[in-house]
Amino acid sequence: MTSEKTSRFVRLRVELVLEIDDEGALTKAALRRLAEEAADPGMPEGERALAESAVTEDTAEALACLVDPFDLVSEIPGVELQQASWSTEPVDYDPDSPDWDLDEDDDDDDAADADDDGRAGGIG
């Protein structure tokens, strides 16, 4: 794995489908996180107000506020997170549908990723 042809960088893709059974608790947790971040003098008041509005109105935004990709890899020795991006969206989930088969390769996503310049939001 130390040959010149092997990249030191690895893209890890993780897709999760979560069931939100307590929107109020999720929203409160996101608002608490925003309040903690507001203690950082680098967060402008206007940005905080927009973020609070977003997490209050949209459960998916509240979840995105609480997810930290760094937590997924921070304990792994020899690994340093270089860049991360993530997004959330409400979906109609049907576990019996073939569209939700996790073992199925999705060639369309691979083609779309080839066009990605790696400058997505998040850490980076």
Side-chain angles (χ1 to χ4, degrees), residues 46-88:
E47 182 179 326
R48 178 179 168 210
L50 285 174
E52 287 176 349
S53 175
V55 302
T56 302
E57 296 172 12
D58 186 349
T59 305
E61 286 293 327
L63 181 61
C65 175
L66 294 168
V67 170
D68 185 354
F70 178 76
D71 290 343
L72 294 174
V73 298
S74 63
E75 300 293 320
I76 300 173
V79 174
E80 182 178 338
L81 181 64
Q82 296 296 309
Q83 178 181 359
S85 65
W86 63 102
S87 64
T88 57

Side-chain angles (χ1 to χ4, degrees), residues 19-108:
E19 180 179 2
I20 309 302
D21 59 4
D22 189 344
E23 290 183 23
L26 178 62
T27 299
K28 286 178 186 177
L31 290 171
R32 275 194 306 272
R33 168 75 59 90
L34 290 172
E36 291 168 4
E37 291 175 359
D40 177 7
M43 180 181 248
E45 182 62 33
E47 182 179 326
R48 178 179 168 210
L50 285 174
E52 287 176 349
S53 175
V55 302
T56 302
E57 296 172 12
D58 186 349
T59 305
E61 286 293 327
L63 181 61
C65 175
L66 294 168
V67 170
D68 185 354
F70 178 76
D71 290 343
L72 294 174
V73 298
S74 63
E75 300 293 320
I76 300 173
V79 174
E80 182 178 338
L81 181 64
Q82 296 296 309
Q83 178 181 359
S85 65
W86 63 102
S87 64
T88 57
E89 63 183 338
V91 294
D92 292 325
Y93 178 63
D94 177 4
D96 297 325
S97 169
D99 292 338
W100 291 99
D101 183 7
L102 295 178
D103 294 328
E104 183 178 309
D105 289 337
D106 191 352
D107 293 333
D108 293 338

